[in-house]
Amino acid sequence: MDERQKSLILNSSSRFPPPQGVRLSYGTAGFRADALLLESTVFRAGILAALRSLKTHSVIGLMITASHNKVSDNGIKVADPSGGMLTQDWEPFADAIANAATPEHLVQLIDEFVKKENIHFHGVRSAEILLGRDTRPSGESLLEAAKQGINSIVGALAIDMGILTTPQLHWMVRARNKGMKATEVDYYEQLSVSFRCLIDLIPNGQKIHEIEDKLVMDGANGIGGEKMEVLKKMLDCLPIEVRNSGKGGGILNEGVGADYVQKEKVVPQGFGFKDVGIRCASLDGDADRLVYFSVPSCDSNMIDLVDGDKILSLFALFIKEQLSVLSMDGNEKISDDYRARFGVIQTAYANGASTDYLKQLGLEIVFTPTGVKYLHEQAAQYDIGIYFEANGHGTILFSECFLSWLETRCNELSSKNQDTEQHKAALRLLAVSKLINQAVGDALSNLLLVEAILQHMGWSIHKWVELYQDLPSRQLKVKVADRTAVVTANAETMVVTPPGIQDAINVEIAKYTRGRSFIRPSGTEDVIRVYAEASTQEAADSLASSVAKLVDQFLGFGSPR
């Protein structure tokens, strides 16, 4: 960096001093904390995004959100050129500059990193960063801090895309870098056109029961409800009632939203006995998570939950069906045709019943460590890769090679006879690839795909709930002196150190029918997380408690929480 650039960063960063005694770390959620602590961090994330744009010669995104956290929190995450999350290689640099104590130290870190990464300033193409934020009151001031950070890099351009869902911002970054139209209107147009295509291809006679014609959606008092109100005007074939849109005075993520519904397994605010038998869905605050639920009776606020595992299973079943149809020519399989690699990606937290169901379908299943960045990376290794976490975050990835083949195959089938089942299957898969948000998990996009598939199959939510029966599970946390003492392997399902603890866990697991348990260190606090499942809730609780005691015995002090 030249002296002018250094001086610019020095002067601007002096206006955004870091909070005393606070250390922030960049993870899957980006930086996230109480909004009052974040101005300096968001300013510095703006610098990072500008440098990333210069390095990659691509458009980069910055999204200001704390997703499903309480309204007083906020955060910032970087969208890479693919529309996905910031490459893990840059996370240590993000941590370093966020926690630099002085402007001078900040400039030194940036100067060293720029040299190491061979980033050139004043090139032909300047940096370009798309900015988005959710509906949090703190978003506006943090947006200004991000702009100041971007503007401290000579030639960098900050483009405010307005109040968006997180997936919309990621979609826009991906679209811009692929040379496609990338406005919010283009996003709605792509989703609505693809959805209508799938609806038009539904086999004759398929119909969900009349009581389920309407979908009721919980918007978590966040940005998703507001955006669905816009989108549903383009979807006259899908009656949707939006509740908790944020317009009626409700508080973001408080007693509402996908995270609340999935964890508590109770109806969100605004739902109750009047919704018995109706198909309901819940988004989180920034609309990147989705779960479904139904209210089984008037006598309780408990729900029948359809979580991310069951959404994944529905998507996998549908895609497998289309691939099977596409691979047939009349009644004979095509031997020399393209063989798409279709993979399902899960973490150890996926309910064992969902994994068993997917295995029964004959699907290839791969496990990764916990975290969307690991799931997304693994899914990208397939022609079609699906990943979902139980919390409702997930998507489907299609390889460019497969899509190119699919387009060609679709055209070939069209030239012969447009009314064949093979041609319809090809059209459905192409529509899915456009409806799904391949940059990141997207509650609006996933909701439309769920609705299209349920209509295609003629399924009620009750039939979907009964796809398989979840195994009862329990999660606990155990305080420890040093969480790094636990080292895991095999996608966090086995403990390597401390020695002996895995053997002891195996002894406990063997005591229970369909028992399964694993432990893993928290990424943010000195606790060890314990997961257990078994054939009954009592057994799952007992297994979790036994394993938690082993953790306490091997690793120090504290008790499960």
Side-chain angles (χ1 to χ4, degrees):
M1 295 190 298
D2 62 24
E3 291 307 312
R4 179 194 171 207
Q5 179 62 81
K6 289 180 182 178
S7 177
L8 191 56
I9 295 173
L10 272 173
N11 291 336
S12 56
S13 62
S14 65
R15 299 194 296 272
F16 296 95
Q20 296 298 307
V22 176
R23 183 168 183 83
L24 296 172
S25 179
Y26 194 99
T28 300
F31 291 113
R32 195 173 290 181
D34 187 297
L36 297 175
L37 303 174
L38 280 175
E39 270 202 347
S40 169
T41 305
V42 171
F43 166 82
R44 295 172 185 204
I47 294 175
L48 182 145
L51 296 178
R52 185 73 182 146
S53 181
L54 290 173
K55 170 69 177 179
T56 60
H57 306 291
S58 305
V59 175
I60 296 294
L62 272 182
M63 184 67 197
I64 298 169
T65 181
S67 189
H68 53 278
N69 282 34
K70 59 188 177 182
V71 69
S72 58
D73 287 349
N74 216 323
I76 189 159
K77 59 177 77 172
V78 180
D80 242 8
S82 65
M85 290 180 291
L86 175 69
T87 177
Q88 295 174 54
D89 295 341
W90 276 47
E91 288 183 8
F93 175 61
D95 287 357
I97 63 170
N99 296 296
T102 65
E104 290 76 18
H105 187 210
L106 175 64
V107 169
Q108 179 190 342
L109 289 170
I110 293 170
D111 194 36
E112 291 171 354
F113 187 77
V114 162
K115 289 173 182 173
K116 179 173 77 77
E117 291 287 326
N118 197 27
I119 297 172
H120 297 288
F121 292 78
H122 315 301
V124 175
R125 177 170 178 168
S126 63
E128 190 173 328
I129 296 90
L130 306 186
L131 288 159
R133 61 185 175 94
D134 67 15
T135 54
R136 294 166 194 271
S138 58
E140 197 166 353
S141 63
L142 292 177
L143 180 77
E144 185 56 36
K147 288 179 180 177
Q148 293 291 322
I150 294 165
N151 292 337
S152 69
I153 299 300
V154 176
L157 178 64
I159 304 173
D160 183 0
M161 305 303 290
I163 297 177
L164 301 169
T165 70
T166 293
Q168 283 181 319
L169 189 278
H170 283 262
W171 182 91
M172 290 171 180
V173 171
R174 182 176 187 268
R176 282 290 295 274
N177 287 317
K178 290 173 75 71
M180 298 159 52
K181 294 179 180 179
T183 67
E184 191 174 354
V185 172
D186 297 317
Y187 169 87
Y188 292 133
E189 185 68 19
Q190 182 167 318
L191 264 60
S192 59
V193 168
S194 304
F195 177 75
R196 283 197 297 270
C197 178
L198 285 170
I199 296 301
D200 289 345
L201 289 165
I202 288 174
N204 292 334
Q206 301 286 55
K207 181 70 173 174
I208 295 176
H209 193 270
E210 288 297 330
I211 194 173
E212 287 220 344
D213 275 354
K214 183 175 72 171
L215 169 70
V216 184
M217 193 194 87
D218 161 30
N221 292 320
I223 185 62
E226 180 182 317
K227 299 305 182 183
M228 180 53 84
E229 291 286 10
V230 178
L231 184 56
K232 77 175 192 177
K233 293 174 183 176
M234 307 170 75
L235 299 170
D236 52 4
C237 50
L238 178 63
I240 302 176
E241 178 188 341
V242 179
R243 296 182 194 164
N244 302 325
S245 66
K247 301 298 184 185
I251 299 173
L252 177 71
N253 293 328
E254 190 169 303
V256 294
D259 191 62
Y260 174 80
V261 169
Q262 189 249 339
K263 284 186 169 60
E264 302 299 326
K265 296 181 175 60
V266 296
V267 295
Q269 289 180 11
F271 289 73
F273 67 89
K274 62 184 179 300
D275 302 308
V276 171
I278 294 176
R279 191 169 69 260
C280 303
S282 192
L283 281 54
D284 69 337
D286 68 334
D288 65 356
R289 292 184 182 186
L290 169 73
V291 297
Y292 272 71
F293 65 94
S294 67
V295 182
S297 75
C298 303
D299 304 325
S300 169
N301 68 342
M302 302 302 289
I303 59 169
D304 286 332
L305 175 69
V306 184
D307 64 5
D309 291 338
K310 277 205 169 116
I311 294 173
L312 183 155
S313 298
L314 181 72
F315 289 177
L317 184 65
F318 179 76
I319 288 175
K320 182 177 186 293
E321 176 188 284
Q322 305 315 308
L323 288 172
S324 296
V325 171
L326 192 58
S327 68
M328 303 293 287
D329 185 9
N331 292 317
E332 300 296 325
K333 286 197 173 184
I334 302 170
S335 58
D336 60 348
D337 217 339
Y338 189 101
R339 296 294 176 183
R341 284 197 69 215
F342 180 22
V344 174
I345 323 301
Q346 292 187 308
T347 73
Y349 283 107
N351 194 277
S354 75
T355 306
D356 290 345
Y357 173 78
L358 294 164
K359 285 179 179 177
Q360 289 167 12
L361 291 179
L363 296 173
E364 181 178 343
I365 302 166
V366 177
F367 287 87
T368 73
T370 304
V372 172
K373 57 189 174 186
Y374 302 113
L375 290 157
H376 195 96
E377 182 180 22
Q378 187 63 46
Q381 304 303 309
Y382 290 86
D383 289 312
I384 307 173
I386 307 182
Y387 70 85
F388 265 84
E389 294 182 299
N391 62 28
H393 189 285
T395 191
I396 311 171
L397 303 184
F398 292 82
S399 73
E400 293 294 337
C401 183
F402 174 72
L403 289 177
S404 176
W405 171 83
L406 189 60
E407 289 271 11
T408 302
R409 182 80 178 116
C410 191
N411 291 335
E412 288 173 354
L413 290 164
S414 176
S415 65
K416 295 176 183 177
N417 183 355
Q418 293 188 11
D419 201 37
T420 64
E421 289 306 308
Q422 290 76 27
H423 183 239
K424 291 176 183 176
L427 288 173
R428 288 187 191 110
L429 288 171
L430 284 171
V432 170
S433 75
K434 293 181 174 67
L435 175 56
I436 204 76
N437 188 336
Q438 294 191 56
V440 72
D442 183 338
L444 298 179
S445 162
N446 288 337
L447 181 145
L448 293 183
L449 184 53
V450 165
E451 292 300 310
I453 295 174
L454 290 179
Q455 288 197 42
H456 173 89
M457 294 180 166
W459 281 12
S460 68
I461 191 170
H462 312 293
K463 182 159 186 178
W464 186 17
V465 165
E466 293 165 1
L467 200 60
Y468 57 81
Q469 189 68 43
D470 279 328
L471 287 168
S473 64
R474 175 66 65 204
Q475 296 186 46
L476 298 173
K477 294 194 295 186
V478 184
K479 285 186 177 181
V480 294
D482 178 14
R483 70 181 186 273
T484 63
V486 171
V487 178
T488 62
N490 295 343
E492 301 178 318
T493 60
M494 301 290 291
V495 184
V496 178
T497 60
I501 192 170
Q502 185 60 57
D503 290 338
I505 291 171
N506 290 344
V507 169
E508 294 302 318
I509 291 172
K511 297 176 181 177
Y512 299 92
T513 303
R514 301 196 73 180
R516 182 170 75 91
S517 184
F518 65 91
I519 66 171
R520 55 180 288 271
S522 166
T524 56
E525 53 184 329
D526 274 325
V527 300
I528 299 302
R529 301 188 184 278
V530 176
Y531 178 89
E533 63 185 27
S535 57
T536 67
Q537 190 62 59
E538 183 182 8
D541 293 347
S542 177
L543 176 55
S545 179
S546 298
V547 172
K549 287 174 183 173
L550 288 173
V551 172
D552 199 35
Q553 176 187 325
F554 274 80
L555 291 156
F557 59 86
S559 58
R561 292 194 295 165

